[in-house]
C-alpha cells in the first residue's frame, strides 16, 4: 500500500488484455489503481513463465550430475508437508473448509511478509474464498473489502508469474460478477481459449447469471452461444435462468426454444423451474403468441420425425392459458385434460452404443476375461425377457437375503413372459447378505453385469436400485434415463407378498401435443406411493 492509501497495480493500467482489464473498471472504493510505466501484458508474463519453467527443468535434467542418497517417498512427503509452503497449504485448506476468508487473508499477508512462496493451489484457495464469500453486516470484514483484496491477490499472482488454470479464471470471473460487471466476467471466459484452458460450465456461470440478473437478454444469449461453441452443455439452473429472462423480456420464441432444450437435456424439472414455467403460461404475453390456423400435416410430420411427444412447429393456438398441477393415471392419461401421453421410442443404435460403452467401462474395472466370458455365455443362452438384480430383490424389506421372495418374483416374471422363459438371475457367488457380496467393489461389478444383460437383451430389469450413483453417472445423462424409464420394473412388498410394478406406458418427459397443449413432469413424487406431479397447460380451444 502506498502512503496515500492507494494500492499499486502496475500491470493493470496499460494492458489491453481482457483477462486483466476488468479490474480497472471496478468502481471505487472496491479497488484503487495507478498508472505505471513498467507494465507487461498478462499473456507475455504467462508465456515467459511457462518458457522459464520448461527451460529450467530442461537444464536441471540435462546438466545435473550430482549424486544423492536415495530418499524415501514418505520422508519426501513429510518434508513437503512440514515446509512453510506445506503448512500454509494446510491452513488455507482449513480456511476453505470453514469458509474463513478473514483468516485466509491474514495468513496470506503473514506469508508475504515472511517470504513464503505461494503456488497455484494457494492462490486458487484465496481467490475462491474471496469470490464466493457471503458476509453479514455484523462481520468485521465487508464484502467490498473482500472483493478488493481478491483483486490484489490476483494481481500478485500475475506478478509472481504463476500460470492460471480454469479454477483461477472462474474465480476471477466471479469477482467481476460480484462487482456487478458480467461483461468483464464474459471477457475472462473468452480469454481462456487463448491460453489453452478449456472452459467448464461453472466458468460461464458468473457472466450468464450476471446478465440474466441485469435483464440483458441479448448478452445472455451471446454467452449461451459461446457455451455451445465450446461444447459446454447447460444444465437446469442455466436453462431455467434463460427461460425466466426470456419470459420477462417477452420473447416467446426464446421461451419455446428453452422449453424444448429442457425437454431434451433435463426431461423432468425441479419445483423452482416449474414455477418459472407456470409464470410464463399465466403471463399476458403467453396468451398473445401463437397462430390460430396451422398446417396439420406439418405438425404431424414434425411429431413423426421427432420420435413422438413434440413437433417443434412453434406455439399453436392463441388466447390465455389454463395451468394446473395434475397427475397421470396408469395408462398415461392426464387427469386434468384427458390428453394421453406418448411413449417415445429409443433409437436402436443408441442402445447398441450404450451397450458398447458399458462393455468398455466394465472391462476397465473388471477382469476383462471374466466379463468377456459372461458376454459369450449371454450370447449362447440369451436373449432373456427379464433380468433380476437378485441382491436388491431378495433384500427388499428384509434383514437377510430372502430366497422365497426372489422365487416369487421369478414366478411372476415367467407368467407374463411371452416365451414363458425363466428370467436371468444375477447374484454374487456368496448368495447371502454379508461377506464378499457387500464389498463395494464387488457390488459395482455385479451392477455392471445385470445392467449389461438387460441392455443387450433389450428386456425388463427388475430392481429398486435408482441407479443414481457415480457408476451410472459415467454412462451419461442423456440416454440412460430414457432407457431406465422404459425398462426398469420395480417391486413393492406387503403381507400379500412381492408385487411387480411395470414401466409406465408413457415417457416422463416434457411433451408438446399436436393441438398445442403442454405437459411438464416435475421431480415431485416418483415412487410407488407418490405419483409424479405434472404441469398441464391448455388453451380454451384445447378443451372445447
Amino acid at each position: 500500500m502506498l502512503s496515500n492509501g492507494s494500492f499499486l497495480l502496475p500491470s493493470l493500467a496499460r494492458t489491453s488484455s481482457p483477462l486483466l482489464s476488468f479490474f480497472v473498471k471496478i468502481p471505487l472504493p472496491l479497488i484503487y489503481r495507478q498508472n505505471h510505466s513498467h507494465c507487461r501484458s498478462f499473456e507475455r508474463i504467462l508465456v515467459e513463465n511457462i518458457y522459464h519453467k520448461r527451460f529450467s527443468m530442461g537444464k536441471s535434467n540435462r546438466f545435473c550430475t550430482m549424486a544423492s542418497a536415495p530418499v524415501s517417498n514418505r520422508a519426501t512427503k513429510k518434508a513437503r508437508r512440514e515446509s512453510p509452503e506445506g503448512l500454509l497449504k494446510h491452513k488455507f485448506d482449513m480456511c476453505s473448509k470453514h469458509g474463513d476468508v478473514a483468516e485466509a487473508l491474514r495468513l496470506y499477508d503473514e506469508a508475504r511478509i515472511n517470504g513464503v512462496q505461494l503456488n497455484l493451489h494457494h492462490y486458487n484457495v484465496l481467490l475462491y474464498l474471496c469470490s464466493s464469500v457471503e458476509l453479514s453486516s455484523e462481520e468485521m470484514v465487508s464484502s467490498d473489502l473482500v472483493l478488493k483484496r481478491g483483486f490484489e491477490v490476483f494481481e500478485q499472482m500475475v506478478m509472481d508469474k504463476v500460470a492460471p488454470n480454469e479454477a483461477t479464471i472462474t474465480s476471477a470471473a466471479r469477482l467481476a460478477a460480484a462487482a456487478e460487471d458480467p461483461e468483464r466476467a464474459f471477457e475472462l471466459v473468452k480469454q481462456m481459449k487463448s491460453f489453452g484452458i478449456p472452459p467448464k460450465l461453472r466458468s460461464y456461470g458468473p457472466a450468464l447469471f450476471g446478465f440474466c440478473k441485469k435483464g440483458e437478454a441479448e448478452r445472455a444469449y451471446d454467452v449461451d452461444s459461446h457455451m455451445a461453441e465450446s461444447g459446454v452443455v447447460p444444465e437446469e439452473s442455466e436453462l431455467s435462468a434463460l427461460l425466466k429472462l426470456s419470459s420477462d423480456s417477452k420473447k416467446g420464441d426464446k421461451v419455446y426454444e428453452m422449453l424444448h432444450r429442457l425437454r431434451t437435456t433435463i426431461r423432468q424439472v425441479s419445483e423452482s423451474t416449474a414455477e418459472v414455467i407456470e409464470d410464463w403460461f399465466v403471463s399476458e404475453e403467453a396468451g398473445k403468441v401463437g397462430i390460430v390456423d396451422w398446417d396439420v400435416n406439418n405438425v404431424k410430420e414434425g411429431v413423426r420425425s421427432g420420435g413422438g411427444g413434440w413437433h417443434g412447429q412453434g406455439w399453436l393456438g392463441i388466447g390465455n392459458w389454463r395451468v394446473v398441477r395434475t397427475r397421470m393415471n396408469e395408462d398415461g392419461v392426464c387427469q386434468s385434460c384427458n390428453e394421453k401421453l406418448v411413449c417415445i421410442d429409443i433409437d436402436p443404435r443408441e442402445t447398441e452404443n450404450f451397450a458398447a460403452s458399458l462393455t468398455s467401462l466394465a472391462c476397465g474395472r473388471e477382469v476383462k476375461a471374466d466379463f468377456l466370458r459372461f458376454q459369450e455365455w449371454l450370447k449362447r443362452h440369451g436373449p432373456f425377457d427379464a433380468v433380476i438384480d437378485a441382491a436388491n430383490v431378495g433384500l427388499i424389506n428384509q434383514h437377510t437375503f430372502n430366497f422365497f421372495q426372489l422365487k416369487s418374483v421369478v414366478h411372476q416374471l415367467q407368467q407374463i413372459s411371452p416365451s414363458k422363459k425363466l428370467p436371468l438371475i444375477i447374484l454374487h457367488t456368496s448368495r447371502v447378505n454379508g461377506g464378499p457380496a457387500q464389498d463395494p467393489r464387488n457390488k459395482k461389478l455385479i451392477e455392471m453385469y445385470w445392467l449389461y444383460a438387460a441392455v443387450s437383451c433389450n428386456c425388463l430389469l427388475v430392481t429398486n436400485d435408482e441407479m443414481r450413483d457415480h457408476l451410472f453417472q459415467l454412462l451419461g445423462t442423456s440416454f440412460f434415463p430414457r432407457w431406465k424409464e422404459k425398462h426398469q420394473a420395480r417391486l413393492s412388498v406387503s403381507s400379500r407378498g412381492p408385487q411387480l410394478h411395470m414401466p409406465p406406458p408413457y415417457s416422463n418427459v416434457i411433451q408438446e401435443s399436436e393441438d398445442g397443449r403442454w405437459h411438464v413432469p416435475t421431480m415431485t413424487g416418483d415412487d410407488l406411493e407418490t405419483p409424479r406431479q405434472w404441469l398441464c397447460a391448455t388453451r380454451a380451444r384445447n378443451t372445447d
Side-chain angles (χ1 to χ4, degrees), residues 314-380:
W315 299 109
L316 303 183
I318 199 166
N320 293 335
W321 292 83
R322 174 176 176 266
V323 187
V324 297
R325 301 283 181 122
T326 186
R327 291 187 169 91
M328 302 297 149
N329 66 16
E330 292 182 354
D331 297 322
V333 175
C334 176
Q335 296 183 3
S336 174
C337 72
N338 294 321
E339 171 81 5
K340 183 176 176 60
L341 299 189
V342 302
C343 185
I344 300 172
D345 293 333
I346 295 177
D347 189 332
R349 290 172 297 182
E350 289 186 283
T351 303
E352 292 176 6
N353 293 336
F354 183 64
S357 65
L358 182 58
T359 298
S360 177
L361 181 63
C363 289
R365 295 189 170 200
E366 166 68 297
V367 177
K368 185 175 182 179
D370 291 345
F371 192 80
L372 294 178
R373 281 197 296 271
F374 173 70
Q375 286 183 309
E376 289 300 321
W377 182 93
L378 198 59
K379 288 179 181 178
R380 291 196 307 270

Side-chain angles (χ1 to χ4, degrees), residues 37-66:
S37 59
H38 304 289
C39 62
R40 292 179 296 171
S41 72
F42 187 60
E43 293 93 333
R44 182 179 174 188
I45 291 175
L46 288 182
V47 171
E48 290 179 357
N49 184 40
I50 294 170
Y51 173 79
H52 173 73
K53 285 185 177 180
R54 289 178 177 172
F55 182 70
S56 299
M57 289 174 63
K59 289 194 298 184
S60 174
N61 292 336
R62 189 175 302 169
F63 300 115
C64 181
T65 58
M66 182 182 297

Side-chain angles (χ1 to χ4, degrees), residues 239-273:
L239 291 175
S240 183
L242 287 167
L243 175 64
K244 185 179 188 308
L245 177 65
S246 301
S247 177
D248 293 344
S249 303
K250 299 181 179 181
K251 298 181 180 293
D253 56 336
K254 297 298 289 188
V255 172
Y256 187 83
E257 174 192 335
M258 296 307 161
L259 280 174
H260 275 295
R261 290 173 66 181
L262 282 168
R263 175 187 59 80
T264 57
T265 60
I266 308 302
R267 295 174 62 80
Q268 302 102 32
V269 303
S270 65
E271 177 59 28
S272 59
T273 301

Side-chain angles (χ1 to χ4, degrees), residues 75-224:
T76 301
K77 291 180 180 178
K78 181 179 179 182
R80 189 182 300 121
R81 285 196 307 269
E82 295 180 353
S83 67
E85 293 78 12
L87 292 173
L88 181 61
K89 176 184 181 299
H90 174 72
K91 292 177 181 178
F92 273 1
D93 289 343
M94 290 299 100
C95 290
S96 178
K97 180 178 180 180
H98 299 291
D100 194 344
V101 63
E103 176 63 10
L105 289 170
R106 188 195 68 77
L107 290 169
Y108 167 73
D109 292 335
E110 184 181 87
R112 302 295 308 174
I113 293 172
N114 295 332
V116 178
Q117 185 176 0
L118 276 70
N119 58 30
L120 178 62
H121 180 84
H122 295 128
Y123 280 116
N124 276 350
V125 172
L126 281 166
L127 289 171
Y128 169 77
L129 282 169
C130 290
S131 65
S132 59
V133 67
E134 295 182 4
L135 300 169
S136 68
S137 58
E138 299 177 356
E139 296 184 76
M140 297 180 63
V141 184
S142 70
S143 57
D144 284 356
L145 178 58
V146 171
L147 283 178
K148 183 180 72 172
R149 293 304 309 275
F151 300 147
E152 293 175 20
V153 168
F154 188 84
E155 168 62 6
Q156 189 59 55
M157 179 179 176
V158 174
M159 299 304 296
D160 286 348
K161 303 180 182 179
V162 177
N165 61 9
E166 180 273 330
T168 313
I169 301 180
T170 296
S171 291
R174 287 171 178 162
L175 285 171
E180 298 184 355
D181 194 349
E183 195 67 56
R184 294 295 128 184
F186 190 23
E187 289 180 1
L188 281 162
V189 179
K190 290 189 287 187
Q191 194 73 7
M192 292 173 73
K193 285 188 176 182
S194 63
F195 295 115
I197 303 174
K200 295 182 179 180
L201 179 59
R202 67 178 185 177
S203 308
Y204 287 98
L208 180 65
F209 294 122
F211 284 129
C212 289
K213 182 179 179 181
K214 285 194 165 188
E216 298 182 23
E218 296 305 322
R219 296 304 289 144
Y221 300 148
D222 289 340
V223 177
D224 183 40

